[in-house]
């Protein structure tokens, strides 16, 4: 398996934030004999058209975002022939998070539960930015929050387990 790992963060790009999450993910992929083809940091205003011309060797794309990125989500919809919809699981998770911290929900958080219709939610109970997994053909896209404390748990319990189990299935076949 080959992985492309992208971080979409203006703070990381400007050097105002260390990119420890990307390093953590890369280290855990390496420990499990999963190779990284590309690792880079992009601006939140990046053009994601490169996702429309995907390399056939790369099967897994992990994309870390500071917040819901409409342009990224729309590009993934174009690639996978889906549409952006509200995901009830992510919506409930965000409402539960605000209830847990006893704060009224912020209006801009409504974008966080809008994802491609073919995506499966990856719940983040510890924050606003949610995740999802989108499978299209032999490609799998994981879009996760760019927050170490939140995403390291999501990565270990969902993403890495999924990648490893799919790798084992292919070897058995």
């Amino acid at each position: 398996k080959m992985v492309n790992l992208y971080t979409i963060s203006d703070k990381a790009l400007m050097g105002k934030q260390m990119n420890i999450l990307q390093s953590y993910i890369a280290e855990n992929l390496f420990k499990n004999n999963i190779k990284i083809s590309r690792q880079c940091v992009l601006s939140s205003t990046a053009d994601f058209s490169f996702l429309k011309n995907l390399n056939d060797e790369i099967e897994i794309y992990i994309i870390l975002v500071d917040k819901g990125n409409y342009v990224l989500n729309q590009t993934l919809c174009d690639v996978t022939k889906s549409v952006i919809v509200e995901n009830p699981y992510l919506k409930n998770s965000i409402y539960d998070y605000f209830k847990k911290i006893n704060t009224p929900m912020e209006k801009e958080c409504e974008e966080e539960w809008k994802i491609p219709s073919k995506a499966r939610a990856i719940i983040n109970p510890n924050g606003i930015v949610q995740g999802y997994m989108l499978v299209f053909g032999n490609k799998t896209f994981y879009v996760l929050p760019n927050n170490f404390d939140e995403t390291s748990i999501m990565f270990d319990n969902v993403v890495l387990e999924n990648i490893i189990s799919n790798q084992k299935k292919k070897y058995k076949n």
Side-chain angles (χ1 to χ4, degrees), residues 149-160:
D149 295 331
E150 298 168 18
T151 303
S152 58
I153 297 164
M154 296 165 71
F155 177 78
D156 292 343
N157 295 339
V158 178
V159 176
L160 188 58

Side-chain angles (χ1 to χ4, degrees), residues 26-139:
E27 181 180 321
N28 280 286
L29 291 171
F30 180 74
K31 284 180 187 174
N32 287 282
N33 294 324
I34 300 165
K35 295 182 175 121
I36 296 176
S37 173
R38 174 177 290 162
Q39 209 175 330
C40 61
V41 179
L42 302 169
S43 164
S44 63
T45 59
D47 172 13
F48 300 102
S49 59
F50 66 89
L51 290 172
K52 294 178 182 177
N53 305 313
L54 300 173
N55 180 334
D56 283 338
E57 280 186 36
I58 308 304
E59 295 179 5
I60 299 166
Y61 294 81
I62 299 173
I63 305 168
L64 307 171
V65 295
D66 283 337
K67 61 182 176 159
N69 188 306
Y70 179 80
V71 176
L72 171 64
N73 290 345
Q74 189 57 57
T75 303
L76 288 174
C77 282
D78 294 345
V79 168
T80 61
K81 297 168 183 40
S82 56
V83 295
I84 293 177
V85 296
E86 289 187 2
N87 184 289
Y89 300 108
L90 298 179
K91 188 175 189 175
N92 288 340
S93 177
I94 292 169
Y95 275 112
D96 290 346
Y97 173 74
F98 278 101
K99 198 181 294 179
K100 183 171 74 175
I101 63 170
N102 199 23
T103 307
M105 192 183 81
E106 301 157 8
K107 181 77 175 149
E108 63 268 8
C109 293
E110 292 178 10
E111 292 302 310
E112 298 301 330
W113 62 65
K114 295 178 181 177
I115 63 173
S117 55
K118 295 181 179 179
R120 287 188 8 214
I122 301 175
I123 303 295
N124 175 12
N126 301 313
I128 298 164
V129 182
Q130 301 295 307
Y132 65 85
M133 177 178 88
L134 181 56
V135 178
F136 185 72
N138 70 335
K139 309 283 184 215

